[in-house]
């Protein structure tokens, strides 16, 4: 499933396009929207984007400027521009940026559908190409340098990192992480109930990880206790993009973690599609000034991932900041019947939707709540319930709207906001499509 972001400073256009894409059975897309380039960039920092459909002329920051920023995070994203202006300067600049398409708003919806279909085809072709390359790489054993792996093991064990970097045993070995700068580790656990963690499998996963890791990160990797470990350090430019307010040097670490989750989502999907292997990931906190906690963070994240594996949950993404309360006993929880566990996860998803109807019930927000990969969550929910997650959300919004109309004197505009519609006209169209009459007619 690809993720489509629609950006236009006119809400009626943005909401209309979202509705048309959601209602078109030819597309299976996770559709998001933004009303400005600023909102779009905030989304890009949190999750992987595959296709952008954007107005080219917007206040404060144009669509052309948006693309320059967005491509830093997701260089494989396909770009489609919309505009009400046909001046050659816009066309020329758009073509110079190697966008997929340039469409006048007056051309209607069909050219937009066609452009998105072509973008999906190009993404499919690129994925097939990468599949072929990775299949070739699977036949090559990539040996992990013994001493580098040993040094990484000792770092994760909690030995002082500065002493290890000056140890004569490792003299001449490169090490791309500076302990005095912000850094983190990511750990990956293979679901061994379905697959054995063979050397070839581990090597393939490491290859996918390094292939998808942006150049804005330095990296050291190792295999430790049959768990994959990557020690990562974001460069100064990336950290600058997550600076909080005007205070120089104050970094939003939750922003860095959110960006890392978007990267890991892509890696998980490739491991699943190319290798048929579900991999779960845990993300540490900032290790700067906290290298002494690395062993504790590693042990906590590993226990959580193993616990979720035992409960039948695959393709998990979690971070140390989400750990709350006692971790529990993995062996004890593993004795629960798998059906009960799956029912609990579905109940958790549905409760989150019920509690957040007026807020963010996007696939990414729900996935973060249950620590799932967003694409996996969509498949998981349909496998467990036989219903698309979007269909369930829409049903709950309709149910809540009817309840408000029957039992309260709230204005229809207030009801629309309470069930998650920021546009009254969009709510009216949605309600009429579902009920065969307008909200006003239904209330009367």
């Amino acid at each position: 499933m690809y993720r489509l972001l629609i950006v236009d400073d006119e809400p009626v256009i943005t909401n209309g396009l979202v509705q048309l894409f959601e209602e078109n059975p030819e597309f299976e897309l996770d559709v998001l929207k933004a009303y400005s380039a600023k909102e779009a960039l905030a989304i890009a920092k949190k999750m992987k984007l595959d296709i952008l459909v954007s107005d080219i002329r917007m206040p404060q920051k144009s669509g052309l400027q948006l693309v320059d920023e967005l491509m830093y995070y997701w260089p494989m994203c396909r770009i489609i521009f919309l505009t009400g202006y046909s001046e050659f300067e816009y066309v020329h600049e758009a073509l110079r940026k190697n966008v997929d398409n340039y469409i006048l708003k007056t051309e209607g919806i069909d050219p937009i559908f066609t452009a998105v279909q072509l973008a999906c085809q190009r993404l499919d072709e690129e994925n097939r190409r990468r599949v072929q390359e990775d299949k070739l790489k699977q036949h090559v054993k990539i040996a992990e340098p013994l001493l580098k792996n040993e040094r990484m093991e000792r770092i994760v064990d909690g030995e002082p990192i500065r002493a290890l970097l000056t140890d004569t045993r490792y003299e001449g070995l490169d090490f791309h992480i500076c302990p005095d700068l912000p850094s983190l580790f990511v750990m990956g656990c293979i679901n061994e109930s379905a697959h054995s963690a063979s050397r070839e499998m581990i090597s393939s996963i490491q290859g996918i990880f390094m292939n998808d890791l942006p150049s804005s990160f330095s990296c050291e990797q190792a295999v430790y206790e049959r768990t994959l470990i990557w020690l990562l350090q974001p460069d100064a430019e990336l950290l600058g993009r997550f600076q909080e307010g005007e205070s120089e040097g104050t970094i939003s670490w939750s922003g860095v973690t959110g960006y890392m989750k978007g990267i890991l989502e892509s890696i998980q999907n490739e491991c699943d599609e190319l290798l048929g292997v579900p991999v779960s990931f845990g993300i540490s906190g900032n290790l700067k000034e906290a290298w002494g906690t690395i062993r504790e963070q590693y042990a906590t994240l590993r226990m959580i991932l193993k616990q979720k594996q035992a409960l039948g949950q695959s393709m998990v993404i979690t971070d140390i900041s989400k750990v709350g309360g006692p971790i529990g006993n993995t062996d004890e929880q593993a004795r629960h019947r798998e059906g009960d566990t799956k029912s609990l996860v579905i109940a958790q998803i549905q409760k989150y939707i019920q509690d957040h109807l007026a807020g963010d019930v996007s696939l990414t927000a729900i996935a973060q709540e249950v620590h799932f990969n967003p694409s996996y969550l969509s498949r998981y929910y349909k496998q467990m319930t036989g219903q698309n997650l979007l269909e369930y959300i829409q049903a709950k919004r309709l149910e809540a709207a009817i309840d408000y109309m029957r039992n309260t004197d709230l204005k229809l505009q207030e009801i629309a906001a309470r069930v998650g519609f920021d546009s009254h006209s969009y709510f009216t169209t949605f309600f009429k499509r579902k009920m065969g009459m307008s909200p006003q007619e239904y209330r009367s």
Side-chain angles (χ1 to χ4, degrees):
M1 177 184 287
Y2 295 125
R3 185 170 289 130
L4 166 67
L5 176 62
I6 298 172
V7 188
D8 198 299
D9 61 320
E10 298 182 54
V12 66
I13 293 177
T14 306
N15 294 329
L17 287 173
V18 170
Q19 181 180 346
L20 288 168
F21 272 101
E22 287 181 344
E23 292 176 355
N24 190 326
E26 294 182 16
F27 293 101
E28 187 175 352
L29 298 166
D30 183 19
V31 185
L32 306 177
K33 61 183 176 182
Y35 300 124
S36 67
K38 183 179 179 181
E39 285 184 28
L41 287 173
I43 292 171
K45 288 182 177 181
K46 295 178 184 176
M47 63 192 78
K48 176 175 173 282
L49 297 177
D50 300 301
I51 304 170
L52 174 73
V53 174
S54 174
D55 188 9
I56 202 168
R57 175 174 282 190
M58 294 184 288
Q60 296 180 335
K61 185 172 287 189
S62 71
L64 296 169
Q65 293 170 312
L66 167 61
V67 168
D68 288 337
E69 292 278 331
L70 185 143
M71 296 300 280
Y72 172 86
Y73 301 103
W74 310 114
M76 302 306 294
C77 184
R78 315 306 304 191
I79 307 298
I80 299 165
F81 277 135
L82 303 178
T83 186
Y85 302 86
S86 56
E87 289 91 334
F88 176 76
E89 64 188 81
Y90 288 105
V91 180
H92 180 267
E93 182 66 12
L95 293 175
R96 191 181 67 79
K97 292 181 183 295
N98 198 30
V99 302
D100 282 57
N101 221 317
Y102 178 94
I103 300 170
L104 293 175
K105 292 179 181 179
T106 53
E107 293 183 76
I109 188 61
D110 288 337
I112 300 174
F113 280 159
T114 300
V116 172
Q117 284 175 332
L118 288 172
C120 289
Q121 290 171 12
R122 291 188 179 108
L123 288 168
D124 288 339
E125 289 168 5
E126 179 64 16
N127 288 336
R128 280 193 292 270
R129 182 188 64 78
R130 295 178 71 175
V131 167
Q132 293 302 318
E133 291 177 356
D134 282 295
K135 281 183 176 178
L136 290 174
K137 290 177 183 178
Q138 287 178 50
H139 297 290
V140 180
K141 292 184 178 181
I142 307 173
E144 192 71 32
L146 182 60
L147 287 175
K148 293 196 74 171
N149 200 86
E150 179 190 287
R151 182 170 58 185
M152 278 284 287
E153 287 180 345
R154 293 175 68 182
I155 290 171
V156 177
D157 267 335
E159 294 189 38
I161 185 170
R162 288 172 180 81
L164 289 171
L165 293 183
T166 57
D167 191 326
T168 56
R169 176 173 174 79
Y170 307 114
E171 188 175 357
L173 287 180
D174 292 333
F175 193 74
H176 300 101
I177 307 297
C178 174
D180 297 319
L181 296 175
S183 55
L184 69 152
F185 74 78
V186 169
M187 62 181 296
C189 289
I190 301 170
N191 187 343
E192 294 189 45
S193 63
H195 300 273
S196 61
S198 66
R199 185 176 300 175
E200 291 80 4
M201 186 67 71
I202 288 171
S203 178
S204 296
I205 294 169
Q206 288 175 324
I208 291 172
F209 188 101
M210 296 306 297
N211 192 47
D212 285 5
L213 185 70
S215 60
S216 50
F217 286 91
S218 299
C219 178
E220 295 288 339
Q221 64 181 8
V223 178
Y224 179 70
E225 296 179 345
R226 298 178 66 80
T227 301
L228 292 90
I229 295 285
W230 294 271
L231 192 55
L232 304 171
Q233 189 158 73
D235 65 18
E237 181 182 355
L238 179 60
L239 290 175
R241 290 171 180 263
F242 288 96
Q243 183 171 305
E244 285 187 324
E246 302 299 323
S247 303
E248 188 174 349
T250 304
I251 305 300
S252 169
W253 196 252
S254 62
V256 176
T257 302
Y259 180 43
M260 177 54 62
K261 287 180 179 178
I263 296 166
L264 294 177
E265 176 191 343
S266 177
I267 293 167
Q268 278 184 326
N269 290 340
E270 287 193 42
C271 289
D272 188 37
E273 293 169 8
L274 301 179
L275 309 175
V277 178
V279 183
S280 292
F281 289 108
I283 308 171
S284 78
N286 188 354
L287 295 173
K288 181 185 178 183
E289 311 295 344
W291 285 98
T293 69
I294 190 169
R295 176 65 193 179
E296 180 184 352
Q297 291 192 58
Y298 166 81
T300 299
L301 288 169
R302 189 170 190 267
M303 186 176 293
I304 289 170
L305 295 184
K306 291 296 183 182
Q307 180 185 58
K308 291 186 177 295
Q309 268 188 15
L311 296 175
Q313 298 176 21
S314 301
M315 294 177 70
V316 171
I317 302 178
T318 192
D319 69 272
I320 200 72
S321 69
K322 302 298 182 183
V323 177
I327 295 169
N329 186 295
T330 302
D331 294 334
E332 180 182 346
Q333 295 203 36
R335 287 195 288 269
H336 285 288
R337 293 194 307 273
E338 186 176 350
D340 291 342
T341 301
K342 291 176 179 178
S343 297
L344 287 172
V345 174
I346 296 301
Q348 186 181 1
I349 293 168
Q350 293 177 344
K351 183 178 187 305
Y352 178 87
I353 293 168
Q354 189 68 46
D355 293 344
H356 295 81
L357 274 182
D360 187 0
V361 289
S362 66
L363 198 59
T364 300
I366 301 168
Q368 288 181 350
E369 176 70 13
V370 294
H371 306 288
F372 275 7
N373 171 297
S375 300
Y376 172 71
L377 170 65
S378 179
R379 299 198 306 271
Y380 180 88
Y381 189 87
K382 188 166 186 179
Q383 288 171 359
M384 295 301 105
T385 67
Q387 182 184 31
N388 287 325
L389 193 52
L390 176 62
E391 291 174 355
Y392 178 80
I393 294 169
Q394 291 181 340
K396 284 298 167 184
R397 282 177 165 161
L398 181 64
E399 180 184 307
I402 290 172
D403 184 62
Y404 281 128
M405 282 188 272
R406 286 178 174 174
N407 301 308
T408 74
D409 295 324
L410 290 172
K411 295 179 181 179
L412 291 176
Q413 192 163 351
E414 293 178 274
I415 292 174
R418 290 195 179 198
V419 297
F421 291 89
D422 50 15
S423 164
H424 178 56
S425 61
Y426 187 15
F427 169 65
T428 300
T429 303
F430 165 81
F431 192 91
K432 192 169 185 178
R433 188 176 73 250
K434 296 292 185 181
M435 299 298 293
M437 64 182 76
S438 70
Q440 187 61 56
E441 291 170 336
Y442 182 88
R443 175 169 259 182
S444 300

